[in-house]
Amino acid sequence: MTADDSFSRLEDDDYPAYTMGRAAEMLGTTQGFLRAIGEARLITPLRSPGGHRRYSRYQLRIAARARELVDGGTPIEAACRIVILEDQLEEARRINAEHSQGIKPSSTPPAA
């Protein structure tokens, strides 16, 4: 692997670059919150060879939105469902925009 390969991975929104501790710190939340949204199947962190959870920037954005809702008083299970539905709606809008422009929709599945 070259330095260029390593750098491009850091630009990849789906690359699991953040440990659970660092992710919680960046979000201003607890590791327990990250475990809870994982149990609710909002995000599924990848595991390092040692079994530690690793999060991508995309997953951190999803977790931040869930935290926003929970901080506003929404129960965690409902917050996770809302974020999933928001993500699905965004994907549907993207596909509709591609369709209306005559672009064949890509086959990227929704996050959750």
Side-chain angles (χ1 to χ4, degrees), residues 1-18 57:
M1 177 182 299
T2 67
D4 287 340
D5 292 340
S6 295
F7 184 70
S8 67
R9 290 166 106 189
L10 293 176
E11 291 180 346
D12 181 356
D13 267 1
D14 295 318
Y15 181 70
Y18 303 99
R57 288 189 304 195

Side-chain angles (χ1 to χ4, degrees), residues 4 8-10 20-21 24 36 43 48 50 52-53 72 74 79 82 86 94-95 97-101 104-105 107 110:
D4 287 340
S8 67
R9 290 166 106 189
L10 293 176
M20 177 182 268
I43 58 175
S48 71
H52 300 281
R53 291 175 178 89
T74 304
I82 289 167
E86 288 174 342
R94 184 192 61 77
I95 291 169
E98 288 177 358
H99 180 70
S100 67
Q101 295 172 1
K104 183 178 180 181
S107 61

Side-chain angles (χ1 to χ4, degrees), residues 18-34 55 60 67:
Y18 303 99
T19 63
M20 177 182 268
R22 180 68 179 127
E25 179 184 315
M26 290 170 67
L27 295 171
T29 190
T30 65
Q31 293 181 15
F33 176 79
L34 291 173
Y55 297 88
L60 294 183
R67 181 173 184 258

Side-chain angles (χ1 to χ4, degrees), residues 81-100:
R81 185 66 184 140
I82 289 167
V83 173
I84 289 167
L85 291 170
E86 288 174 342
D87 195 53
Q88 289 172 344
L89 178 59
E90 181 60 33
E91 178 69 6
R93 286 180 173 159
R94 184 192 61 77
I95 291 169
N96 284 340
E98 288 177 358
H99 180 70
S100 67

Side-chain angles (χ1 to χ4, degrees), residues 37-89:
I37 63 174
E39 289 170 12
R41 297 187 174 180
L42 177 61
I43 58 175
T44 304
L46 293 173
R47 299 283 181 150
S48 71
H52 300 281
R53 291 175 178 89
R54 300 280 187 214
Y55 297 88
S56 69
R57 288 189 304 195
Y58 173 76
Q59 289 173 323
L60 294 183
R61 284 194 301 273
I62 295 290
R65 176 65 180 132
R67 181 173 184 258
E68 224 176 82
L69 292 167
V70 169
D71 287 352
T74 304
I76 196 162
E77 296 82 12
C80 290
R81 185 66 184 140
I82 289 167
V83 173
I84 289 167
L85 291 170
E86 288 174 342
D87 195 53
Q88 289 172 344
L89 178 59

